[in-house]
Amino acid sequence: MSSTALAGLDAEWARCRWVWNECVAMSRKVHGLNKDAAEMVTCGPALLDKMLTEARAAMGWLREGASVPQQQIIRDFGKSRTKALKDIKAKLPMPQRAGMPRIKRKRDALPSMNYTRRGFRLKDGRLHLAGGISLSVVWSRDLPAGPTSVRVYRDSLGHWYASFVVETAIESLPPTGRAIGIDWGVKETATTTSDAHDLPHAQHGKTAGQKLARHHKQMARRKPARGKAASKGYRTASRAAAKVHKKIARQRQDTGRKWAKAVVRDFDQLAVEDFKPKFLAKSTMARKAADAAIGATRTALTEMARKHGRIVHLVHPAHTTMDCSQCGARTKHALPLSERTYACTACGAVSPRDKNSARVMLVRAGLNPAGVEGVRPPGALLPEAA
């Protein structure tokens, strides 16, 4: 990216950040007024748009920037505030609530600007943004259709990205007449009814743990005092740690996507445990569970199935480790995690614990497995899901 384009993006983000902070200040002011006033005062898009119009008329510096990203930052603020108020109204527990929008500080906030269709255009492989900013783009792939909007943002390593929103069509894959049950876990990220499609724990975080610990120790030694600017050594160590974290995240994403593509290619219907791994963060398995990236892998599987027109059945995880996949009997007590073999006292079936849970997914989804591997005979029709 040229220095001119970089300076233009930084200046545009400074204006958008100022608009966001003014929205936060207005929201807090309205909240204070509503405490004492008899009539409720709202802080909706109309009030904030009016504030932006008045500010652009009074400030030449703000007027130098394009109006599109400034208006869209108000929309982003509105979505964030609406979600926070919705969680408060629903009386969700504090750890589950989305917090109210906060001030974006210059040193901490990463730039992110959204441009609608009237705020950008593509010409000769270059991205032209409103405000006279022209960017040369390194394309990861061709756009399947004309984009309706683009978000330009910078990551923790200082790399700039442009994310386009386009309409895509379903890329249907040939039908296979097969179904698969998927159980999430920590020892293995995904255990399925097909041995060939099990996803072992990749341990990307553990592999990079030693290198990451070294950078964190350097940051701890060079940590600046409260209110003081960070030294060059601290910024160098911080950037090195961010680079390792980025690599780990990409490895996890790549592993999840490749596995998801293999599953979606070979099976028409997927019975997936509707597992929420958040509670594992408070357990003794927190580090290993985070390294397994269950949430990211599940998201990759869902997106891949939607892209290729496969059917996903989300199965409630309650008692899936206690039910027998053969006869449906339920054990009288929950199995401890150390017990890895499931033995049914009713029918005598014995199988690995996670394999039994994967087959339970198929049964609950109405896709009864035809054998140990949960694969129906070639040409057999799949039953309708319950």
Side-chain angles (χ1 to χ4, degrees):
M1 183 183 296
S2 66
S3 58
T4 303
L6 186 60
L9 288 175
D10 287 337
E12 200 68 76
W13 168 242
R15 300 182 186 95
C16 290
R17 191 174 61 83
W18 183 89
V19 173
W20 175 280
N21 292 342
E22 285 298 305
C23 291
V24 173
M26 179 66 73
S27 176
R28 293 174 178 176
K29 181 180 178 181
V30 168
H31 179 70
L33 292 175
N34 287 335
K35 284 185 176 180
D36 305 324
E39 186 177 351
M40 183 69 69
V41 182
T42 60
C43 184
L47 178 64
L48 298 178
D49 283 340
K50 181 180 178 182
M51 178 200 71
L52 177 60
T53 302
E54 294 174 351
R56 285 179 63 86
M59 301 173 62
W61 166 76
L62 194 63
R63 215 165 39 244
E64 290 176 1
S67 62
V68 174
Q70 297 172 17
Q71 290 172 343
Q72 292 305 307
I73 205 77
I74 290 178
R75 302 296 177 269
D76 293 343
F77 171 84
K79 291 179 182 178
S80 178
R81 186 173 184 272
T82 300
K83 179 63 170 67
L85 294 176
K86 183 180 178 181
D87 290 351
I88 293 173
K89 188 175 181 180
K91 297 182 180 179
L92 292 179
M94 288 300 295
Q96 298 180 16
R97 292 184 186 178
M100 291 292 286
R102 297 182 180 182
I103 295 292
K104 290 185 180 292
R105 303 187 185 280
K106 183 177 181 180
R107 291 179 181 174
D108 304 327
L110 295 175
S112 178
M113 296 168 287
N114 191 25
Y115 292 82
T116 57
R117 194 68 191 90
R118 66 188 182 91
F120 75 97
R121 65 188 177 93
L122 295 170
K123 185 178 180 181
D124 299 330
R126 295 179 65 85
L127 174 62
H128 300 268
L129 302 176
I133 303 174
S134 179
L135 308 173
S136 57
V137 182
V138 179
W139 297 95
S140 60
R141 57 186 177 274
D142 294 333
L143 293 175
T148 57
S149 67
V150 60
R151 182 172 290 276
V152 181
Y153 63 95
R154 191 183 72 198
D155 66 2
S156 58
L157 297 178
H159 299 158
W160 285 89
Y161 295 89
S163 177
F164 294 90
V165 177
V166 297
E167 292 185 3
T168 57
I170 295 177
E171 302 174 9
S172 299
L173 291 173
T176 63
R178 306 171 71 197
I180 187 173
I182 301 173
D183 176 73
W184 305 112
V186 176
K187 187 176 181 181
E188 283 191 334
T189 303
T191 303
T192 70
T193 52
S194 171
D195 291 340
H197 293 82
D198 289 347
L199 178 62
H201 196 303
Q203 298 185 344
H204 295 304
K206 185 177 180 179
T207 303
Q210 192 172 3
K211 183 183 294 186
L212 200 57
R214 183 172 70 252
H215 296 318
H216 284 166
K217 287 180 181 178
Q218 292 174 346
M219 291 173 63
R221 290 196 300 268
R222 302 165 183 175
K223 184 177 180 180
R226 186 179 180 88
K228 297 293 183 67
S231 65
K232 181 180 178 181
Y234 179 85
R235 291 196 302 270
T236 301
S238 177
R239 180 178 174 83
K243 190 174 182 179
V244 176
H245 278 297
K246 191 75 171 180
K247 180 179 179 180
I248 295 171
R250 285 173 173 168
Q251 286 176 324
R252 290 169 179 164
Q253 186 182 57
D254 182 67
T255 300
R257 285 180 175 175
K258 287 178 179 177
W259 172 79
K261 185 60 179 287
V263 171
V264 168
R265 183 181 60 242
D266 296 339
F267 297 92
D268 287 341
Q269 301 203 46
L270 288 62
V272 183
E273 182 184 12
D274 191 10
F275 183 68
K276 296 177 176 58
K278 192 174 182 179
F279 77 94
L280 291 172
K282 297 182 180 180
S283 69
T284 56
M285 301 179 294
R287 178 171 296 190
K288 190 171 183 179
D291 197 11
I294 298 173
T297 306
R298 179 190 151 182
T299 300
L301 180 63
T302 305
E303 291 177 350
M304 196 67 69
R306 185 186 300 115
K307 177 181 178 181
H308 295 292
R310 300 307 200 195
I311 300 174
V312 177
H313 304 275
L314 294 179
V315 180
H316 196 280
H319 308 299
T320 52
T321 58
M322 300 170 62
D323 289 356
C324 176
S325 61
Q326 301 295 329
C327 66
R330 180 172 297 171
T331 59
K332 295 182 179 180
H333 62 279
L335 300 180
L337 287 174
S338 58
E339 191 172 335
R340 305 310 303 171
T341 302
Y342 181 90
C344 180
T345 56
C347 67
V350 178
S351 65
R353 171 188 176 134
D354 293 338
K355 285 292 181 181
N356 177 74
S357 298
R359 287 192 289 267
V360 169
M361 303 300 162
L362 279 178
V363 174
R364 289 193 181 182
L367 309 171
N368 298 322
V372 178
E373 297 301 325
V375 180
R376 301 187 63 80
L381 297 176
L382 286 169
E384 294 294 331

